[in-house]
Amino acid sequence: MTSRDVLFVAVGLITAAAAVLSVTNRRVLHAGLWLVVALGGLAGCYLVLGAELVALVQLLVYVGAVVVLVLFALMLTRSGAGEVDTSSAHRWVAGAVGAGVTVLLGGTLVAAYGWSEREVAGPSNDAIGEQIFGTWVWPFELLSLLLLAALVAAVAVATTGHRRQEGER
Amino acid sequence: MELPLTVEIILKAVVVLAAFLTLPLAIGQTEHKVMAHMQGRLGPMEAGPHGIAQLVADGIKFVQKEDVTPAAADRWVFRLAPAVALIPYLIALAAIPWSAAWVAADVPASLLFVLAVTSVGIFGTLMAGWGSGNKYSLVGGMRAGAQLVSYELPMVLAAASVAMAAGTLSLTGIAQAWSWWWLVWQLPGALVFLIAAVAELQRVPFDAPVADAEVVFGPYTEYSGLGFAFFLLAEYAGIVVMSLLFTVLFLGGWSGPWSDTLGPVWTLLKATMVAILILWLRIAWPRVREDQLQRLAWVVLVPVALVQLALTGVGVVVWG
Amino acid sequence: MSTQESRERAPGALDLLKGLGKGLATTARTLARPAHTRQYPHAEPDLPERSHGVIALLEENCTSCMLCARECPSWCIYIDSHKETLEPTTEGGRARQHNVLDRFDIDFSLCMYCGICIEVCPFDALFWAPDFAYAEGDIRNLLHDKPKLGTWMENVPDSALPEGYVRPGDPATPETEE
């Protein structure tokens, strides 16, 4: 095992542990904070694998913006302190879905590459840029269109309720 | 002379740590003095000649104080928050180049690295706001969250403009590609970046999250002793990081006469100017209201940053 | 006139920028000027003689009428007295009684320096003196007793003193009284 392997295993274990804690924690805000650790650990995994750009974007977007928004919503609704108890059926279904996804992804990887060791070299930042804005430009644009639609819908939902209130007045 | 790798890494870490511990103090002392004189006062005068050791004395005082954890606090979240606020700036400082050779950790996409790492620091504020078990802290934490998410976008867009102009994500590369007419070309982006940086630091005029008159220092209300000192240190370390980043991105970093030998001095000089400007804003301007703050981010800064991005794109295509 | 106009219409973006610039200019100008601060323990302050620093007692004017103690909002004046009988000075005269002041204390740890005691004193027994440097390490020492309150009389300005008062040790001859 090279030092990189050790590092990867360590970061991976931290990520997995944080993810499990995030799912099993009953206090929602603590779950959110464990999610920060899990996503940060994931960025670490990317970094160890040499995908530097993906790691940094992961940190910037998911940790720096998405989870901040999640925590903000929790603070705003004051639901962070409350203990959440899910039904056992809920838990079983969630566990089954999680295990299924794990098996599916793991199986695909094993089927594709076998058990042999693979040399990983993360793509350079230039290569990723060229891929996104060259080969994958249409899916990329489609995604932004989807986000735009979501944004417009959110504004519409927010403002129509407002107008109805004004009408009632 | 080639040093062994481990020795070099340890040496660099020590230098960065020393800079991290002294530069914020220097900024803090400058703030004491500049603010005092701008208000017709003298500021600290007793601790050392002209109060030069005032912040050291403050540090000793903070160490002696009792570290209180409120009964209603979320214990671990409350305890960890100061460290979470402080450490990202330490890591960011390591990646910022002082000259082409003077950089502790030369990562390839260092611009993205610094932005990504500093964006983690906000969790310190959020955790403090939540963990204190205090409604003023909670309100302050929410204000901080809303503000930092809003200003992150124009900041990243403005930084992206410079990266586009230089054609690289490396801070060293950006500073090397810089030439004086970027001062005009990237001016809108620079202004957006500066405003967003002040907002990220939660300094006046964007200090609604810690407004003493409204939410009694917001997320930091319940902190005492070393925890409070850490938050203060994080604030000033933030000023150091943002000033250096602004210098490298928009002011050409170490470029100047005799930059081969005097490079780091130029960086320090320019960054000091930027830092003093940030301090000056606190002394001269009133606080921006919460809704005005959001409005400024989304209605002014984001469009200006987008226009700057387009301008840069045109420039790169035409001249590049 | 232009300022009046700008007050009437709602301030625009230009006014905002102007205001921000003004803030920067004012602070920069102050920075260029010397500070107003006086470094007190190193340099003695130059106070007006009628400064409200401490309350002085002119004991011989006090009749222990208790007005000051009763009017004091923070109840920081303590007065004890007893009556003494003066034998008649002439044959067949009447014996007179007068109050003798045993104790007159002001607790400066409670005093809020409102000066009401000085205002209400009908006999000119209390005065403002400009001394201010009487901080103590022990709060109990802030209770100034009769002799101590008397020492503050030294710096009471002449303009505040009652007519005909002669400072102790002052050689000037008092005006003739009947």
Side-chain angles (χ1 to χ4, degrees):
Chain A
M1 289 236 286
T2 62
S3 61
R4 182 185 263 206
D5 288 339
V6 174
L7 206 61
F8 182 76
V9 169
V11 175
L13 279 180
I14 291 173
T15 310
V20 168
L21 280 169
S22 165
V23 173
T24 54
N25 210 306
R26 278 161 199 255
R27 300 182 72 176
V28 189
L29 201 110
H30 285 188
L33 290 175
W34 281 118
L35 189 62
V36 173
V37 179
L39 290 174
L42 202 58
C45 289
Y46 289 140
L47 205 61
V48 175
L49 292 177
E52 182 198 37
L53 192 74
V54 183
L56 293 177
V57 169
Q58 163 91 11
L59 209 58
L60 194 64
V61 174
Y62 282 92
V63 177
V66 172
V67 187
V68 169
L69 224 52
V70 169
L71 292 187
F72 178 70
L74 286 178
M75 287 164 119
L76 196 66
T77 53
R78 300 215 171 187
S79 55
E83 304 234 326
V84 177
D85 219 353
T86 44
S87 67
S88 66
H90 196 141
R91 275 185 232 167
W92 278 110
V93 171
V97 170
V101 171
T102 311
V103 169
L104 190 68
L105 282 179
T108 313
L109 282 177
V110 171
Y113 299 113
W115 293 101
S116 60
E117 260 187 37
R118 287 257 149 193
E119 192 60 38
V120 261
S124 73
N125 302 337
D126 294 347
I128 290 180
E130 271 168 27
Q131 285 283 309
I132 288 181
F133 294 104
T135 321
W136 301 97
V137 68
W138 288 113
F140 183 77
E141 288 302 319
L142 215 60
L143 211 59
S144 62
L145 211 62
L146 181 72
L147 287 177
L148 185 67
L151 203 66
V152 171
V155 169
V157 169
T159 52
T160 46
H162 195 61
R163 212 170 288 147
R164 200 179 303 140
Q165 268 185 347
E166 274 180 5
E168 279 168 5
R169 234 185 283 148
Chain B
M1 190 181 74
E2 276 296 304
L3 289 168
L5 189 65
T6 45
V7 174
E8 190 186 324
I9 287 175
I10 291 171
L11 214 62
K12 278 179 170 173
V14 168
V15 169
V16 169
L17 197 65
F20 186 71
L21 290 177
T22 51
L23 289 179
L25 291 187
I27 295 283
Q29 184 68 19
T30 314
E31 173 165 49
H32 272 325
K33 279 299 183 184
V34 170
M35 181 188 265
H37 281 279
M38 280 187 171
Q39 294 169 340
R41 303 181 286 115
L42 288 172
M45 289 293 281
E46 296 299 320
H50 284 259
I52 198 99
Q54 181 63 43
L55 287 171
V56 178
D58 281 350
I60 294 169
K61 178 194 73 180
F62 279 129
V63 170
Q64 290 170 343
K65 282 196 169 183
E66 185 185 2
D67 223 343
V68 181
T69 308
D74 199 333
R75 200 174 179 78
W76 279 105
V77 176
F78 182 81
R79 282 260 170 102
L80 276 177
V84 174
L86 189 60
I87 290 170
Y89 287 122
L90 174 62
I91 299 172
L93 194 64
I96 295 180
W98 286 68
S99 76
W102 282 38
V103 51
D106 200 5
V107 284
S110 47
L111 169 60
L112 212 55
F113 180 81
V114 171
L115 288 178
V117 168
T118 48
S119 76
V120 176
I122 178 196
F123 282 102
T125 311
L126 283 181
M127 285 165 73
W130 173 263
S132 297
N134 173 321
K135 60 184 167 191
Y136 297 109
S137 300
L138 187 68
V139 171
M142 285 191 320
R143 285 183 177 189
Q147 175 171 329
L148 294 179
V149 168
S150 299
Y151 280 86
E152 185 107 343
L153 185 63
M155 190 167 173
V156 171
L157 286 177
S161 158
V162 187
M164 212 157 91
T168 171
L169 279 173
S170 153
L171 287 173
T172 319
I174 289 171
Q176 274 163 346
W178 187 86
S179 55
W180 66 268
W181 48 270
W182 283 30
L183 282 177
V184 182
W185 187 29
Q186 300 293 337
L187 184 63
L191 289 178
V192 168
F193 188 90
L194 191 64
I195 294 171
V198 174
E200 292 263 318
L201 295 169
Q202 300 168 28
R203 300 271 308 177
V204 178
F206 306 107
D207 67 333
V210 295
D212 47 352
E214 298 166 23
V215 290
V216 282
F217 224 44
Y220 316 135
T221 304
E222 296 291 352
Y223 283 89
S224 57
L226 268 185
F228 188 73
F230 270 30
F231 274 119
L232 278 189
L233 191 62
E235 180 177 342
Y236 289 106
I239 297 179
V240 171
V241 168
M242 286 302 173
S243 307
L244 280 171
L245 195 59
F246 185 85
T247 305
V248 172
L249 288 180
F250 295 99
L251 301 179
W254 50 91
S255 56
W258 305 291
S259 62
D260 293 335
T261 48
L262 289 181
V265 178
W266 281 114
T267 312
L268 187 64
L269 205 65
K270 291 173 183 174
T272 309
M273 289 299 160
V274 177
I276 287 177
L277 180 66
I278 292 176
L279 301 180
W280 190 4
L281 301 186
R282 168 170 177 192
I283 300 153
W285 289 354
R287 182 178 306 133
V288 174
R289 217 171 51 212
E290 192 62 24
D291 60 320
Q292 297 168 329
L293 195 145
Q294 294 292 337
R295 209 180 149 72
L296 177 68
W298 294 104
V299 179
V300 180
L301 295 189
V302 171
V304 170
L306 288 174
V307 167
Q308 170 69 69
L309 217 53
L311 201 68
T312 310
V314 170
V316 168
V317 171
V318 171
W319 293 307
Chain C
M1 196 193 125
S2 61
T3 51
Q4 222 166 10
E5 269 173 18
S6 66
R7 241 175 242 154
E8 275 160 22
R9 66 187 163 77
L14 201 67
D15 297 312
L16 177 76
L17 288 180
K18 225 187 269 174
L20 292 180
K22 206 169 170 183
L24 291 177
T26 307
T27 43
R29 220 178 302 126
T30 316
L31 178 70
R33 288 179 189 154
H36 317 299
T37 312
R38 290 187 203 153
Q39 292 293 87
Y40 158 56
H42 310 298
E44 281 301 316
D46 181 22
L47 293 175
E49 57 170 17
R50 290 270 192 150
S51 295
H52 293 184
V54 70
I55 295 163
L57 172 70
L58 181 54
E59 198 187 329
E60 58 258 44
N61 277 8
C62 180
T63 63
S64 12
C65 69
M66 302 290 288
L67 275 177
C68 53
R70 277 190 280 171
E71 292 297 329
C72 176
S74 47
W75 292 74
C76 67
I77 303 179
Y78 308 98
I79 298 174
D80 285 337
S81 65
H82 67 273
K83 283 198 161 72
E84 266 179 18
T85 310
L86 285 177
E87 291 307 316
T89 46
T90 52
E91 190 67 30
R94 205 157 48 114
R96 290 171 184 268
Q97 285 195 320
H98 76 134
N99 285 332
V100 177
L101 192 59
D102 297 324
R103 177 187 182 212
F104 191 107
D105 296 348
I106 297 182
D107 190 347
F108 281 106
S109 65
L110 296 177
C111 176
M112 58 188 200
Y113 300 91
C114 62
I116 289 176
C117 50
I118 296 161
E119 297 296 323
V120 298
C121 181
F123 302 107
D124 277 345
L126 292 171
F127 301 93
W128 276 119
D131 305 73
F132 62 94
Y134 50 93
E136 297 282 354
D138 189 331
I139 196 171
R140 287 170 293 191
N141 296 338
L142 279 173
L143 185 78
H144 290 193
D145 57 5
K146 211 165 52 171
K148 182 139 192 195
L149 289 170
T151 59
W152 298 128
M153 281 305 292
E154 193 188 332
N155 285 329
V156 175
D158 288 333
S159 58
L161 290 173
E163 274 178 41
Y165 174 75
V166 181
R167 289 178 190 280
D170 206 341
T173 49
E175 282 167 50
T176 46
E177 278 173 283
E178 53 213 76

